[in-house]
């Protein structure tokens, strides 16, 4: 079996359409959505059901990529303590995560059907798997387990609340179940980051900077934050349980706000260009 399988070679059937993160960020339709953003997944919002369905499909493909990424970490690195190796105990944690993600894929398939969505109805962007291909196992942990699985905490918490507000006990229960696993996955990333880089602060800072880059990209210009017009709210309590410090949470909030301001500036520039 090859090591570090490129994203182009991921096994997908004809139902899936892959796109890259740039297509998502620079989609001109996003400018209008950012300028007329509604309040999260408010049940009174007529767009809320379609927004929830699209997000649920994004969760589904994200779980597939998380499974693939954790499995690659088990295989891509020799066992050891070197910079390009992974400790055996870390591989055990990734194997446990594979089992969790496989279960999440099954749950997500059933939830997409429950919400009236077909597999492939929405496109699949593949940044999660690409982050899981980093040649440094520590950067994989920060990019996937701390940044992207951290986003999953925020998303699952939001979707669980949406299930509560809409009186959907199936959605509420399933999201709560998966949320508990995501807290564990992020906690594993936090613990292994500090354990592996305890005597290498330069490597730790490099990994955290990679995490910041991923976090900013996945704020999607206002998708996540702490204000009322952010669809997904940052789940502070669960992030604390997952090993985030108060300073790290504050920094993440600032990153999200910065991403939103930059997106709004892009929207204004695009509108001015169209007007001209």
């Amino acid at each position: 079996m090859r090591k570090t399988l490129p994203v182009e070679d991921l096994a997908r059937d004809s139902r899936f359409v892959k796109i890259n993160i740039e297509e998502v960020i620079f989609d001109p339709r996003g400018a209008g959505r950012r300028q007329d953003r509604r309040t999260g997944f408010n049940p009174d919002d007529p767009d809320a059901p379609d927004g929830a369905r699209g997000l649920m499909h994004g969760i589904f493909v994200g779980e597939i990529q998380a499974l693939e990424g954790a499995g690659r970490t088990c295989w891509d690195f020799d066992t050891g303590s070197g910079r390009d190796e992974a400790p055996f105990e870390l591989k055990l944690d990734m194997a446990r995560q594979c089992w969790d993600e496989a279960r999440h894929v099954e749950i997500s398939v059933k939830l997409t059907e429950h919400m009236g969505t077909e597999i492939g109805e929405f496109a699949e962007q593949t940044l999660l798997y690409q982050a899981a291909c980093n040649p440094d196992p520590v950067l994989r942990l920060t990019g996937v387990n701390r940044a992207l699985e951290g986003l999953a905490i925020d998303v699952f918490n939001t979707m669980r609340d949406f299930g509560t507000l809409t009186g959907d006990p199936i959605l509420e229960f399933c999201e709560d179940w998966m949320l508990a696993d995501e807290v564990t996955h992020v906690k594993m990333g936090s613990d292994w980051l500090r354990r592996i880089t305890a005597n290498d602060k330069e490597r730790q800072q490099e990994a955290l900077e990679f995490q910041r880059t991923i976090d900013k990209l996945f704020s999607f210009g206002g998708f996540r934050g702490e204000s009322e017009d952010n669809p997904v709210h940052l789940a502070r309590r669960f992030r604390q349980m997952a090993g985030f410090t108060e300073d790290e949470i504050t920094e993440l909030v600032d990153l999200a706000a910065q991403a939103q301001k930059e997106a709004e500036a892009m929207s204004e520039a695009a509108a001015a260009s169209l007007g001209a």
Side-chain angles (χ1 to χ4, degrees):
M1 185 186 297
R2 284 186 296 169
K3 295 193 173 185
T4 314
L5 188 74
V7 66
E8 295 79 16
D9 292 344
L10 289 178
R12 296 289 187 273
D13 62 34
S14 59
R15 294 173 295 177
F16 292 80
V17 177
K18 289 185 288 188
I19 58 175
N20 58 45
I21 189 66
E22 289 80 12
E23 291 177 273
V24 177
I25 294 174
F26 296 109
D27 185 343
R29 294 170 296 179
R33 287 195 300 268
R34 284 189 288 267
Q35 288 182 336
D36 187 30
R37 184 183 297 113
R38 298 177 185 268
T39 305
F41 294 112
N42 188 326
D44 296 330
D45 186 338
D47 292 333
D50 280 342
R53 290 192 314 110
L55 184 54
M56 189 63 242
H57 192 278
I59 292 171
F60 159 64
V61 294
E63 299 294 355
I64 296 175
Q65 293 176 41
L67 167 59
E68 292 165 327
R72 298 271 13 142
T73 299
C74 290
W75 176 255
D76 287 346
F77 302 106
D78 293 333
T79 303
S81 57
R83 189 181 179 95
D84 58 351
E85 297 175 326
F88 179 71
E89 296 85 352
L90 170 58
K91 291 190 176 187
L92 282 180
D93 278 347
M94 292 299 101
R96 177 258 166 88
Q97 185 168 332
C98 284
W99 167 242
D100 291 344
E101 305 296 5
R103 187 172 64 254
H104 291 184
V105 171
E106 293 183 339
I107 293 172
S108 297
V109 168
K110 293 182 182 298
L111 273 178
T112 55
E113 294 172 350
H114 170 70
M115 297 172 73
T117 305
E118 295 182 358
I119 294 175
E121 183 175 344
F122 301 90
E124 175 188 11
Q125 66 81 17
T126 55
L127 183 60
L128 191 153
Y129 180 78
Q130 290 171 288
C133 290
N134 195 288
D136 187 332
V138 173
L139 267 66
R140 288 195 188 190
L141 287 171
T142 52
V144 176
N145 284 68
R146 298 199 90 222
L148 297 173
E149 299 276 351
L151 173 63
I153 286 178
D154 304 330
V155 169
F156 287 166
N157 187 58
T158 298
M159 290 290 278
R160 183 191 62 174
D161 292 346
F162 183 71
T164 302
L165 289 170
T166 56
D168 186 339
I170 295 175
L171 178 61
E172 178 186 5
F173 176 80
C174 290
E175 295 297 333
D176 188 61
W177 185 279
M178 292 190 290
L179 174 60
D181 287 335
E182 297 302 342
V183 172
T184 300
H185 300 167
V186 179
K187 184 66 163 58
M188 289 192 299
S190 298
D191 290 346
W192 277 110
L193 165 67
R194 291 168 183 135
R195 180 173 172 181
I196 293 177
T197 63
N199 299 315
D200 191 344
K201 296 304 179 183
E202 181 178 348
R203 187 183 185 189
Q204 183 179 102
Q205 289 305 311
E206 181 183 353
L208 290 173
E209 186 57 39
F210 182 62
Q211 177 187 328
R212 293 185 192 100
T213 299
I214 301 296
D215 272 326
K216 188 174 181 181
L217 279 172
F218 270 79
S219 291
F220 288 131
F223 174 70
R224 173 180 60 186
E226 289 195 318
S227 68
E228 285 300 316
D229 62 348
N230 298 125
V232 171
H233 289 170
L234 192 137
R236 281 181 173 266
R237 181 168 66 90
F238 291 112
R239 282 182 173 272
Q240 290 168 350
M241 294 169 61
F244 273 69
T245 66
E246 281 298 325
D247 287 345
E248 287 177 324
I249 293 173
T250 299
E251 181 180 40
L252 182 55
V253 171
D254 292 342
L255 273 176
Q258 181 182 350
Q260 182 170 343
K261 288 181 179 179
E262 291 175 1
E264 290 170 349
M266 289 174 59
S267 295
E268 292 173 2
S273 177
L274 288 173

